[in-house]
Amino acid sequence: MNPTFTPPIEKQKPLEKNPADFAYEFLGDAIEHLHEDQIAAIVERAKSSQSEILESIKTPSEHSRNVSYDKFKKRFSVAGEEGVTMGQIIAARHMGMDVTIPEEVDQSGDGKKLRRILAEKISQDRIANDANRELGTVLSEKAKMRDMMKSEAYRKIAERSGVESEQLGVKAEQIVMGALETIAIDRPDLGLSIASANAYQDVEEKIDFIISTKQKKRGIGIEKDEVSFDEKHIGIQFTINTSKREHKEDQIKKAKARGMDVDDILYVAIDMKILSLAISSWKKDGKSIKGPWSYLPESVRKAAIANLFDSVLTQDQVRGLVESA
């Protein structure tokens, strides 16, 4: 057999996590607000779209950028832009950028991994959007009689789910989520995962996205052959309006008092003027696949990373990420 033979893409398994498992994980406690038939329909749509997702990744389009892999240097490039990491390629979708991964890229293990993770992330994005559309619609109706402001908030979430937005606040969340997802993918040793909040978490708990970590326990009381993990789930309320810090922190305090399905909620802000300038510079330079995050001042990137991971990782791990930010 030819050692470089690659099985047809359609026969490769695109997902490691079952769509149903991801849907239930994403919905969390809010799952009680949806009927079983609604959840089943979301999962079925995700399963039936897997082939289409894989086809879209390997088929060039007018706006997609071609991915190549140098097997000698063991690194990716995208449309001639070199020094691009796997995480940056996958996270680029948060800024509306599409990539094409030719089949020859699968001749490397990294290439196969890139295709698999990208397909999985796209599928999970669709599940989250589908779930939020259903959840937002249901909760909007439920809230109409008791709280019109919440009802409107849920309605807006349902309407914008899966729709690209030009609002600066939405773009800001996408930029930060993309940066965190890049770290999670490029540093698998950290056991990180990044997920957007569901509609209930957004409105009731004031959470924009969630950082989770799962790391092996070490130390006294852990048997040699025993496998045990420490897990943390930290909700992040992110804003670009730094003048509302006191109001936002009060919202978080009230959310904690009501009870929450994460271990903690943190407030993180980046000034909107700084963010706007980074986006403008990124666009002016031709929209690098690395995204606007790399155009933020180094001091801002370092402070954001330190704040975002302070309650999730060890001090040494945070220090390492800050130094490379």
Side-chain angles (χ1 to χ4, degrees), residues 120-133:
E120 184 172 76
K121 293 296 182 182
I122 293 173
S123 177
Q124 291 176 355
D125 290 345
R126 293 186 182 186
I127 292 171
N129 288 331
D130 249 9
N132 265 350
R133 196 176 300 111

Side-chain angles (χ1 to χ4, degrees), residues 129 132-141 143-144 147-165 167 170 198-200 202-203:
N129 288 331
N132 265 350
R133 196 176 300 111
E134 297 282 355
L135 190 59
T137 301
V138 169
L139 292 177
S140 177
E141 285 299 316
K144 274 185 178 178
D147 193 325
M148 281 304 297
M149 287 185 66
K150 281 189 178 180
S151 177
E152 182 68 6
Y154 279 123
R155 184 188 66 78
K156 287 181 178 179
I157 290 173
E159 288 182 351
R160 72 170 183 253
S161 294
V163 179
E164 189 171 347
S165 173
Q167 291 182 16
V170 176
N198 63 48
Y200 181 87
D202 189 326
V203 175

